[in-house]
Every structure is written in C-alpha cells, then in structure tokens.
Amino acid sequence: MVEMAIAMALLLTLTLGFVDFGFAFYQWNAATKAVQFGARLASVSDPVAGALTNAAPISNPGAPVVAGAYGPFVCTYDNAGNGSCSNSGAFSAPAFSRIFRGDTANTNDDACPNPANGQRPGMCHFFPGLLRKNVVVTYMATGLGYQTRLGGPVPTITVSLQNINFQFFFLGGLLGFSNINVPSMLSTVTGEDLKSTSP
C-alpha cells in the first residue's frame, strides 16, 4: 500500500505536469499564430496610428525616407479600456478592432464574435482569452519608401503581446509553481497599401 501510494503520487504529478505543460505549448503556438496573423492584417489595413499617413518628411519629394524619420508610433489599450499611440499618433479604434477582431463587428470591448462566411478572423480567434490591452501595434520608419509617396510612408509594422501570464492549473496547487510570463511573441512585417480595402 505504501509503495502504491508513493508510485501513484509520482505518476499523478507527472501526468498533471504533462497536461499543464502541454497546455502551455498550446498557448505558445496560439500566441505565435495570433501575432503573425495580426501583423498581416495590420499591413493591409488602415493604420491604428492615424498620424502615420502624413508622418514622413516632404521637403525632398522622391528622396528616401530614412530610418527614424518618424515615430515610432506604439499603439495599445490601457487597463481602463482607453486606446492611445505614442508620439501623438491619433489612435484609431476601428483600425485596431480590425486587427484584433478581423472583419467582424467593430465593438468597443474585448468581445470576439465568430466571423461570418467570407469574413477574415482576427487575433482573438487564434488566441482565445486575448484582450485588447494585451496587443501592441508599432509603426516605425526603417528606411522604406520615399518622400511624398502617394500612398503615404511605408512603415515596418510590429505586432506583439504584453502582460499575459500562463497559469499552472494543477502544478500550481500541487507543487506551488508560480505563473509564467508569456513572451511578447512579436511578428514584424513591411506595410503594404495600409487600406482596409486591400486584398
């Protein structure tokens, strides 16, 4: 009986540990896919930072836009549900909603409605439980595009995650494991037309 009790305790701990770490890897993969898809949506959508359109220099038409010429515009929501962008970026809630929710309804909350037929999903569909305040969209000048370009500057766009913790369901109670902070899982792409009507 004693041997069975010891063996069962070890076996149960190993089994529940596999479940916890398996769920952690699932969240890791889901977070990676969410930022990749969010970056793609951001590259073909209206910019969250409204000031980006006219942010590039215009003194020398046709000249390259050098790295650091504008921004960076870092856009996110705070804990109170207020969206903002650094460097006076003029935060656009509908543009952020498109990245977060895809083509689904633009609502001013963390809801993640199921997309209808023909609608593209957003980040929240790939990573259940994701909140708007966890998503950071950054636009920066990295030497792409030229001054007075008709479509505006060509930014480098980074979508990342912040303030997400993985909680151990079983090991936390059994062995006292503390929460683990999920890395930013960032994805960086080059901006394209930056219009919601883009393909």
Side-chain angles (χ1 to χ4, degrees):
M1 293 292 291
V2 173
E3 291 175 353
M4 186 64 177
I6 294 173
M8 284 301 294
L10 291 174
L11 183 61
L12 186 62
T13 301
L14 283 173
T15 302
L16 296 180
F18 284 135
V19 172
D20 264 352
F21 280 104
F23 186 60
F25 283 123
Y26 162 77
Q27 284 194 322
W28 181 288
N29 289 330
T32 301
K33 188 63 177 178
V35 294
Q36 288 173 349
F37 203 82
R40 173 59 186 160
L41 280 177
S43 71
V44 296
S45 302
D46 294 325
V48 178
L52 174 67
T53 305
N54 300 312
I58 59 173
S59 56
N60 297 303
V65 175
V66 298
Y70 57 83
F73 300 111
V74 182
C75 306
T76 190
Y77 276 89
D78 60 21
N79 291 329
N82 301 312
S84 63
C85 296
S86 63
N87 291 315
S88 303
F91 185 87
S92 170
F96 191 96
S97 180
R98 180 175 171 79
I99 296 169
F100 183 73
R101 295 185 180 85
D103 294 335
T104 56
N106 174 24
T107 56
N108 194 26
D109 56 32
D110 290 311
C112 190
N114 291 326
N117 289 336
Q119 290 184 326
R120 283 181 289 192
M123 293 180 68
C124 64
H125 296 102
F126 290 94
F127 192 2
L130 188 67
L131 304 176
R132 293 176 303 169
K133 67 180 181 180
N134 300 137
V135 179
V136 181
V137 183
T138 304
Y139 301 89
M140 65 184 74
T142 54
L144 301 173
Y146 54 89
Q147 295 186 27
T148 68
R149 177 177 176 270
L150 185 61
V154 181
T156 295
I157 305 170
T158 300
V159 175
S160 59
L161 302 179
Q162 65 177 358
N163 303 324
I164 300 178
N165 290 323
F166 171 75
Q167 180 180 1
F168 286 104
F169 293 105
F170 302 115
L171 296 183
L174 291 175
L175 302 176
F177 277 49
S178 59
N179 294 343
I180 295 177
N181 185 263
V182 177
S184 62
M185 311 299 290
L186 61 85
S187 182
T188 301
V189 297
T190 300
E192 295 182 18
D193 285 338
L194 295 175
K195 295 291 182 184
S196 296
T197 54
S198 297

